[in-house]
Amino acid sequence: MNVDLTTSPVEALKSLVIGIYEEGELTPTAKKIDKLTHGYLSNIIEKNMFQAKLGQTHFLFYPAETKIECLLLVGCGKPDTLSATGFRKIIIQAIKAIMTVKIKQFTFCLAEIEVKGRSLPWKVKQCVETVYQGVYQFDLFKTEKEPIYLKDISIHLAQNKQFDACKEALHQGIAISNGVILTKNLANTPSNICTPAFIAEQAKALAKQHEQISIHILEEKDMEKLGMGALLAVSQGSAQEAKFICLEYKNAKKSQAPIALIGKGITFDTGGNSLKSPDNMVGMKYDMCGAATVLGTFHAIAELKLSVNAVGIIAAVENMPGGTAYKPEDILTSLSGQTIEVISTDAEGRLVLADALTYCERYQPETVIDIATLTGAVVVALGTHATGMVSNYPPLANALLKAGEESHDRVWELPLWDEYQEQIKSPFADMANTGGRAAGSITAGCFLSRFAKKFHWAHLDVAGTAAMMMGTSERMATGRPVPLLVQYFLDQGK
Ligand code: BES
Ligand code: MN
Ligand code: ZN
């Protein structure tokens, strides 16, 4: 698909979508069309034939006195109250409607809608990302694919003012969307195909595609030599070899310490010998969304050629039960030397991340952000709207909160108070890998914090945001938190 900006006069457009407010107020483009058609739109609205409820859509075809073939009305709700979420809803509903008609090109006259506290370039960028989100399909494994007729989308700008800033926003929106698509495709691929070796191949392909990205991969024998006892324990029940993938993106001064991203890449999480129930196991192909996010974010920052140095670490492992698998009460020695008593083999994410965090020290990073579908508890706490965060460095937490607001890919901070550390005491080892039901997301964060003492660190728990798992027929990866992380890098590159 192709997305671009246009400043063509409304009179010249053939297929377009325009916004209408609930109380009958027309957006600027709607006003123009109303004039051209001698009150066609205001007549429809006066008679309450179209109520303009938020996200409501209605097609009008070949309105008289115009060159228009297809005019889509979309309701914008009450004027002056539209939120970022409302704006995205309008675009999603418009795309849904457009996908039902066999039209190749469509112009979006929606950047002119007021969104509280947001600029025109922001609206352009969100419009691009939401359009890509709306047309996304994952039909690789469907024998009958639904055709997509829509090929070209233009975002209409009523004036030339801020054109350059909008062009930049367009460019960013496209790069972020390409990153999001990469992340979604990898995440949606099932674990019989998306194995640790498969993720390693995808990472290699990404490094090949971008000159600034280099890669090296550790095999299990390398990890044994290093002493990655925590990661290897998780892998030992699986027929798939673990892969430890290290990417480097270099596009700033050598002296500039890198920002490191670490992704949890459990290609399937059965729970291991602490086996999950069948209901809880569906959706666990998504347990590598952190890894997919690292790749998607690297793709986007490379496409944008951001002047930053970044490291991407992916711990790709399958968590299986069985005779060779690790067990509750096993004691592991991590790469850091700290020992861990396994209480649940289903708390495997923190084990692989512990060794990845320690390994990361060799890059002397300024900042480390790990991304992981780590706990069911974060879904209980925050649902699917916000990513849970803990951090050992308030300025980093604040930067991520801000990037979340800007990208509308939001995070919420949980406390990492010392009191919670008590819950992961073990009578036999330096720590236990679980801390009971209470504050499960925080105690997981406490566990990780013990391996993140040498740098500024934030942990993003994306169990509720990286994929939609409500109901078996509605599962789908979201590509989050790629927009958040790209925004964070954009802010750092400034
Ligand atoms: N991958 C899961 C977390 C998860 C749950 C992600 C639901 C997405 C949706 C993780 O490995 C896990 O199993 N966590 C356990 C931890 C517990 C044993 C301390 C959990 O949340 O139940
Ligand atoms: Mn688990
Ligand atoms: Zn897991």
Side-chain angles (χ1 to χ4, degrees):
M1 211 183 46
N2 194 25
V3 185
D4 213 342
L5 300 180
T6 179
T7 51
S8 320
V10 179
E11 291 82 356
L13 305 176
K14 272 190 172 174
S15 300
L16 64 159
V17 44
I18 61 172
I20 309 277
Y21 292 111
E22 212 171 296
E23 273 142 21
E25 196 183 314
L26 299 177
T27 55
T29 306
K31 256 182 214 153
K32 275 194 190 151
I33 294 171
D34 195 45
K35 227 181 191 170
L36 288 174
T37 56
H38 310 294
Y40 183 40
L41 295 180
S42 36
N43 186 35
I44 288 172
I45 289 156
E46 258 159 45
K47 295 198 174 123
N48 208 28
M49 291 163 168
F50 181 69
Q51 298 82 26
K53 296 261 184 261
L54 187 71
Q56 189 188 355
T57 55
H58 186 77
F59 278 115
L60 299 170
F61 305 107
Y62 303 100
E65 320 271 346
T66 68
K67 287 191 185 139
I68 299 171
E69 292 178 355
C70 184
L71 177 64
L72 178 64
L73 310 182
V74 55
C76 299
K78 299 206 166 59
D80 305 319
T81 60
L82 194 64
S83 64
T85 307
F87 184 63
R88 292 185 69 110
K89 183 172 177 187
I90 288 167
I91 295 160
I92 286 284
Q93 293 306 113
I95 278 283
K96 270 194 188 156
I98 290 167
M99 303 275 276
T100 65
V101 295
K102 244 177 163 170
I103 291 178
K104 268 208 224 140
Q105 194 279 339
F106 234 91
T107 302
F108 277 62
C109 305
L110 300 177
E112 60 188 50
I113 305 169
E114 276 309 316
V115 184
K116 257 210 255 157
R118 305 293 190 169
S119 67
L120 182 62
W122 182 91
K123 289 185 279 184
V124 169
K125 188 165 154 184
Q126 286 288 321
C127 191
V128 175
E129 290 179 40
T130 314
V131 160
Y132 275 100
Q133 182 191 322
V135 300
Y136 179 81
Q137 287 181 332
F138 187 72
D139 57 10
L140 197 61
F141 300 99
K142 294 212 176 188
T143 51
E144 264 172 62
K145 309 195 195 277
E146 292 213 19
I148 297 181
Y149 300 104
L150 192 61
K151 288 260 154 22
D152 283 293
I153 286 179
S154 306
I155 296 173
H156 186 256
L157 298 178
Q159 30 173 313
N160 266 314
K161 242 192 343 195
Q162 288 186 281
F163 188 83
D164 290 342
C166 289
K167 194 87 195 171
E168 178 59 24
L170 172 85
H171 185 52
Q172 288 177 10
I174 293 173
I176 291 165
S177 300
N178 286 334
V180 162
I181 291 166
L182 187 153
T183 298
K184 284 179 177 175
N185 285 345
L186 191 57
N188 284 326
T189 303
S191 71
N192 59 327
I193 293 162
C194 183
T195 58
F198 184 88
I199 296 182
E201 288 310 313
Q202 299 296 306
K204 276 189 207 160
L206 187 71
K208 210 166 185 187
Q209 192 185 342
H210 301 285
E211 216 186 319
Q212 319 93 313
I213 300 180
S214 59
I215 184 167
H216 82 105
I217 295 169
L218 302 187
E219 305 295 329
E220 284 191 354
K221 60 175 185 340
D222 306 316
M223 296 184 243
E224 264 157 41
K225 255 184 233 152
L226 285 168
M228 293 180 145
L231 186 153
L232 287 169
V234 177
S235 186
Q236 80 192 30
S238 171
Q240 302 293 332
E241 285 266 315
K243 303 280 175 182
F244 193 83
I245 304 160
C246 311
L247 297 156
E248 279 182 87
Y249 170 86
K250 288 186 181 154
N251 204 24
K253 276 190 300 218
K254 259 198 178 156
S255 58
Q256 196 173 310
I259 297 166
L261 301 183
I262 299 180
K264 172 179 174 183
I266 301 295
T267 55
F268 197 80
D269 181 11
T270 61
N273 281 326
S274 312
L275 197 64
K276 286 184 185 291
S277 70
D279 277 355
N280 287 333
M281 215 184 286
V282 175
M284 286 305 131
K285 70 171 180 182
Y286 290 124
D287 216 18
M288 38 59 72
C289 279
T293 295
V294 172
L295 294 181
T297 304
F298 266 57
H299 186 49
I301 66 174
E303 192 172 314
L304 290 168
K305 299 194 163 50
L306 296 190
S307 333
V308 296
N309 291 330
V311 168
I313 304 278
I314 292 171
V317 185
E318 188 181 55
N319 187 23
M320 294 292 282
T324 65
Y326 76 138
K327 303 172 298 301
E329 300 187 295
D330 285 0
I331 294 178
L332 318 175
T333 303
S334 67
L335 179 59
S336 72
Q338 298 176 90
T339 57
I340 304 161
E341 185 187 15
V342 177
I343 300 301
S344 170
T345 63
D346 198 10
E348 82 298 337
R350 63 197 76 182
L351 297 175
V352 305
L353 290 173
D355 281 350
L357 283 161
T358 304
Y359 185 86
C360 203
E361 288 172 6
R362 69 185 57 205
Y363 294 98
Q364 295 179 294
E366 182 192 299
T367 298
V368 178
I369 303 169
D370 77 71
I371 308 107
T373 46
L374 205 65
T375 63
V378 84
V379 194
V380 176
L382 299 173
T384 60
H385 304 299
T387 292
M389 171 174 66
V390 296
S391 173
N392 64 9
Y393 189 59
L396 172 59
N398 291 336
L400 287 165
L401 282 165
K402 183 171 154 279
E405 282 303 323
E406 176 63 23
S407 59
H408 200 58
D409 182 359
R410 290 171 294 180
V411 300
W412 197 255
E413 189 177 6
L414 302 170
L416 193 66
W417 296 327
D418 283 344
E419 286 82 345
Y420 292 104
Q421 296 280 356
E422 301 290 314
Q423 284 174 241
I424 53 170
K425 271 191 178 160
S426 159
F428 302 110
D430 297 343
M431 68 195 89
N433 81 330
T434 63
R437 275 177 61 81
S441 304
I442 296 172
T443 53
C446 287
F447 182 95
L448 296 177
S449 73
R450 297 180 181 210
F451 302 86
K453 293 232 160 87
K454 300 214 171 123
F455 34 69
H456 301 149
W457 160 78
H459 154 64
L460 300 176
D461 192 336
V462 294
T465 52
M468 294 295 162
M469 293 192 220
M470 313 294 192
T472 17
S473 65
E474 283 163 88
R475 284 164 296 138
M476 195 56 78
T478 63
R480 290 178 69 182
V482 171
L484 163 76
L485 291 170
V486 176
Q487 187 59 47
Y488 174 76
F489 275 110
L490 280 166
D491 295 343
Q492 299 313 302
K494 264 177 209 154

